[in-house]
Amino acid sequence: MPMRPPAASLPRRFLRPAFLRLPAALPLAAQTTGAVPVPAPSVRPAEPQRARRGGDPPGLREARPRPAWRLEAAHAGGRGLRGAFLHVGEFIPLSASLHAAALRPAWSFSQTKLLLLPTPNSHAHTLPPAPMTTRCLPLALALLLPSALAEAAITPAVIPPTVDFPLATVDLSGPAEAAARHVVVARGTTEVYQGHPTTVLLPDGKTLYCVWTLGHGGPCGPMKRSDDGGLTWSELLPVPENWKDTRNCPAIYRLADPEGKARLVVFAQQKGVMRRAWSEDDGKTWSPMQPAGAGLGPSVMPFTDVKPVDGGRRLLAMTNLRRPGETKEKRSNVLAQSFSTDGGLTWSAFEIVRDLPGLRLCEPELVRSPDGNQLLCLIREDAKHESLYMTSDDEGRTWSKEKKLPRTLWGDRHKAGYTPDGRLVIVFRDVGRKTSPTNNHFVAWVGRYDDIANGKPGLYRVKLIHNHRRGKNFPGRLMDDCGYPGLEVLPDATLVATTYAKYTEGDEGNYVVAVRFKLSETDATLHDFLLKNRPAKPAKNHAAKPAKNRAGP
C-alpha cells in the first residue's frame, strides 16, 4: 500500500496545507451513524496494486505520480477517500490536483456553514446554508470554490535565472512534488547501493523495462517491468544465472535488424569486454550473456547509445575506451563507435572517432535532428567538466570538429528524447559547478535542437531529484552520485526519467527512482511565475504639458 510522507519528514513550509473543517455540530444524514461516508464516485480509480512494489521507502507514495484529480484523507491511514469514512471534526487536506470537474456532489448538510481554510495567510471562505432537496449538503461541492482551489494548489518552486546562469529552473524535487511524481523502482539500504539504471519503452507505449547494477559499477542482474508507464513496477524478474558475472552500467535497447525483426538487447561487460543478452519475446525470456562481437576489444563502458542509420540497414553504437598504448594518462578516455548489420547481435571492431589528449571524453549520446539529416553527439567531459558536442551529416561515417555545449547542458551521461510538440528534452547529472543552482542534482534541459547548434541556452530546466550529500561510503564509491538515466516519452506526452541517486539523508545507499512529468505542467508553472514576477511598467508622466502658443504672428 502506498504510504504518505510523515508530517515530521516535511519542512515547515509543507505543513501548511489547505484544510476543510467540519464543525462538531454538523448534522448527519437521516440515519445518524456518527460518521459520514465520503462521496467519491468520480474520483480517479486506483491503479491495480501488486503484491510488492519493489521496496517503498517509509513515507513515500511509491507507485503513483500526481493523479489527475485526487483527494486524500488525513485520518484514513493515507487512503484515498474511496470507501473511507470521515468522522465529524476531522480535517481533509486539499490535494494539489483537486479540480472543480473532479468530483460530483453526492452528500449535503444543512443548517451549518462549511469553513474552507486555503492557507494560514489567506482569508477563510464560508458557504452560507442553502435550501437542499435532502438533509445533506454537497460536501464535494464545497471543495470546489475556485479561489480556494487556486490558493490550495501546491505549486512547484521556480529557481529564477541569474547573471551566471541564464535559465529558470522548475523544481520538482521538493517533498510535495516527490510524493506526487517520484516512483521508487528499487530502494537503497545501509547495505545495498542501487546503481546505473537504463530503461526501454515497448511499442505499446506503456510497458517499460529497467535494468541496473548492485553497487557502483557492480554486478548486473536486477530487472523490473512496468505495465502502466512507470506508475507501478514488478518484483525482480528472473534472468539467466550468468548475468551476475557481468558488471558496470547495463544498457537496454530495442533494436531491429534490416528485415524488421526486433529484439530487446542488454549490453554489459565482463572483465572490460562487451557482452550482450537478448529477448525475442519482448522480455518474457532472455538468453545468457554472450560475447557481443569478436572485434570488440576492452571498453570503459558498455554502449551508451545505439541508433539506426542508413535507413535501418545498420545500427551505430558509441562508447568510450582507454587510449590504446597510453602510459601517462591512467584514466584517459576516447570516443569510439561500432556498427551492426544483424540487429545488434554482432558488432564491428571499434573505431576511435575523437581523441583529445588532456581531456577525458566519455558516455556519448546520439540525437537525430528533426529533419532526419544530421546526427548530433553529446559528450561528457571528465577533466574540465565542460561538455562538448559534434555532428555528422553522413550517418556517422565522419564527424565535425567538437564544440563546447551551452553552459546549461554541462552534465554527465546525457539522455535525450523529443516530445510530441517537437521540443527536445535532455536529462543528466548537472556538473555546472559554482554557476549552476542545481549542481550535482538530476535535471532536465528543455529546448530545441537548433538551440544547441546555435549556442543558445535553451528554454528552461527542471530539477527532477535532489541528490543528497554523502552518508556512508560504500566500497569504491562515495554516495553522492546520480545520473546514468533512462528517458522515455509516453504517447500522452508524459516523460519518465529514471535515475539512481542518493535519495535520502543518512546512510542509506542510492535508490533507483523514476520521475513522471509533462512539459505542459512545467510550462504552466513557469508561465505563472513569470506573470507574477514580471517587472512593473514605468509610470507615465502625467505632468501638464506647456500650452502651445496659438497666437498668430
Side-chain angles (χ1 to χ4, degrees), residues 387-450:
S387 302
L388 308 170
Y389 77 96
M390 58 186 185
T391 59
S392 174
D393 296 324
D394 55 9
E395 301 293 273
R397 293 172 177 83
T398 61
W399 292 91
S400 71
K401 180 177 176 54
E402 70 286 341
K403 295 181 180 179
K404 193 178 295 186
L405 279 169
R407 183 182 299 270
T408 51
L409 274 165
W410 288 2
D412 293 348
R413 192 62 180 260
H414 303 85
K415 188 57 64 175
Y418 285 102
T419 54
D421 64 4
R423 282 183 288 179
L424 182 62
V425 177
I426 304 174
V427 295
F428 53 94
R429 175 173 67 227
D430 183 4
V431 295
R433 305 300 178 184
K434 295 180 180 180
T435 62
S436 172
T438 56
N439 181 51
N440 206 46
H441 300 299
F442 184 48
V443 301
W445 176 90
V446 182
R448 299 192 181 277
Y449 184 89
D450 289 343

Side-chain angles (χ1 to χ4, degrees), residues 37-51:
V38 179
S42 62
V43 174
R44 181 175 174 174
E47 292 81 2
Q49 295 190 11
R50 304 185 187 279

